[in-house]
Amino acid sequence: MQDAYPPVSNKNNGNAITSLVIGIISWVIFLITVCLNWVIVPLFAVATMGVGFVFYICTFGLACLSPIGWLIGTILGNTAKKQIQQTGEGGAGMANAGFIMNLIGLILVALSLCGIIAYLAIAGTAGIAQYFNMPSY
């Protein structure tokens, strides 16, 4: 007689581990860039009378790694959850943690982009209103 459930193995799913590790690394990179761009680089820019602005440009590439990592980690976490459900491998907790951690990062990116777009829309309409001598609200 065949069992209705797949056999339980002690092996963890590789995608679950990868999703969790990518999520942790992406959050560490994000926190490092936030500290650099909001605390250290402005102090350095003031101390060097504006020359420190070059470091903003240097940290931009580092800041772009977090959203890419969050996207890859979300996909891997979702894939791992499906594979674990089908094969009965271990690592369901890691898959859930990696998926949620990376999804929170992606939501943060989406909210930031919405805020930037809203800011540009408001700033753009204020500039156009002044150009045409129209009242801005």
Side-chain angles (χ1 to χ4, degrees), residues 13-31 62 64-80 94-95 97-106:
N13 186 292
N15 286 340
I17 297 169
T18 307
S19 173
L20 185 64
V21 169
I22 286 176
I24 292 170
I25 290 171
S26 295
W27 276 104
V28 168
I29 289 172
F30 172 74
L31 292 175
L62 183 65
C64 291
L65 291 177
S66 291
I68 294 169
W70 288 328
L71 180 64
I72 293 169
T74 303
I75 293 169
L76 286 175
N78 193 29
T79 305
M94 287 188 286
F99 178 75
I100 292 169
M101 184 186 328
N102 291 307
L103 189 62
I104 290 172
L106 284 179

Side-chain angles (χ1 to χ4, degrees), residues 108-126:
L108 179 70
V109 169
L111 289 175
S112 298
L113 289 176
C114 289
I116 290 170
I117 291 170
Y119 172 76
L120 292 175
I122 292 170
T125 57

Side-chain angles (χ1 to χ4, degrees), residues 8-13 88-91:
V8 177
S9 72
N10 294 331
K11 182 182 167 210
N12 288 328
N13 186 292
E89 287 180 307

Side-chain angles (χ1 to χ4, degrees), residues 122-136:
I122 292 170
T125 57
I128 291 172
Q130 291 174 357
Y131 181 74
F132 289 111
N133 293 327
M134 296 172 12
S136 62

Side-chain angles (χ1 to χ4, degrees), residues 29-52:
I29 289 172
F30 172 74
L31 292 175
I32 287 171
T33 55
V34 165
C35 289
L36 281 173
N37 288 331
W38 288 79
V39 178
I40 297 169
V41 174
L43 292 175
F44 188 70
V46 169
T48 59
M49 293 184 222
V51 177

